[in-house]
Amino acid sequence: MFLKFDQAQPRRLRHQRGSALVVGVFIITVMFLMAAALVNILRDADEQVNLEVLGTRAFAAANSGAEVALARLFPLSGLAADSVCLASSSWTPPDIVGFRGCSVNLTCSSTTFAGETLYAISSEATCGAANCDGDSCIRVNRKVEVQARD
């Protein structure tokens, strides 16, 4: 009933002391590196979504700007005196959710060929995040070109 104490056992335990600590530190380091990589992946994915949304807004704003320029060229009144082809102008989109933070620059040029007037309209829209602060702001630019004739 008495337990026999082995003298060799304490020596083996003495040599193994601290190995669990090294393994634990290694596992914590690996987990930290994996978490850091995951955070970077999520941040990049979030930035891509922002760029896609701003790109869609800029494309819609550029299309709307081209339509505004066409409406100036070919007014509903049908009078040629009302048509305007400005070399350079800007259009301010309405302050609604889809166009917030966007600006549109329009250019128009006309050429007469074989008795017909040909118009080249360029609409360039720039959209940025609403809370821009200097260089860290994300801005997206889209350009739409339209040709029309009288």
Side-chain angles (χ1 to χ4, degrees), residues 37-47:
L38 184 62
V39 167
N40 284 337
I41 289 169
L42 291 175
R43 185 181 60 225
D44 290 344
D46 187 41
E47 186 174 321

Side-chain angles (χ1 to χ4, degrees), residues 96-111:
I96 58 176
V97 175
F99 290 128
R100 195 162 290 141
C102 295
S103 62
V104 180
N105 292 321
L106 303 171
T107 58
C108 180
S109 62
S110 61
T111 306

Side-chain angles (χ1 to χ4, degrees), residues 2 9 12 17 23 33 36 53 62 64 78 89 98 105-106 113 117 119 126 128 135 138 142 144-145 150:
F2 291 102
Q9 189 176 3
R12 265 187 276 144
R17 196 176 285 165
V23 170
L33 291 174
V53 168
S64 297
S89 65
N105 292 321
L106 303 171
F113 180 74
T117 304
Y119 299 99
T126 303
D135 293 336
I138 298 174
R142 295 289 185 263
V144 172
E145 294 182 358
D150 211 1

Side-chain angles (χ1 to χ4, degrees), residues 35-79:
L38 184 62
V39 167
N40 284 337
I41 289 169
L42 291 175
R43 185 181 60 225
D44 290 344
D46 187 41
E47 186 174 321
Q48 289 300 319
V49 168
N50 288 339
L51 286 173
E52 188 174 337
V53 168
L54 287 175
T56 302
R57 287 182 179 180
F59 185 67
N63 277 335
S64 297
E67 290 175 8
V68 166
L70 286 171
R72 289 178 186 168
L73 274 176
F74 307 106
L76 291 177
S77 66
L79 299 175

Side-chain angles (χ1 to χ4, degrees), residues 4-16:
K4 191 173 183 184
F5 184 69
D6 186 11
Q7 290 292 337
Q9 189 176 3
R11 183 177 290 155
R12 265 187 276 144
L13 291 176
R14 206 174 326 147
H15 290 294
Q16 293 179 3

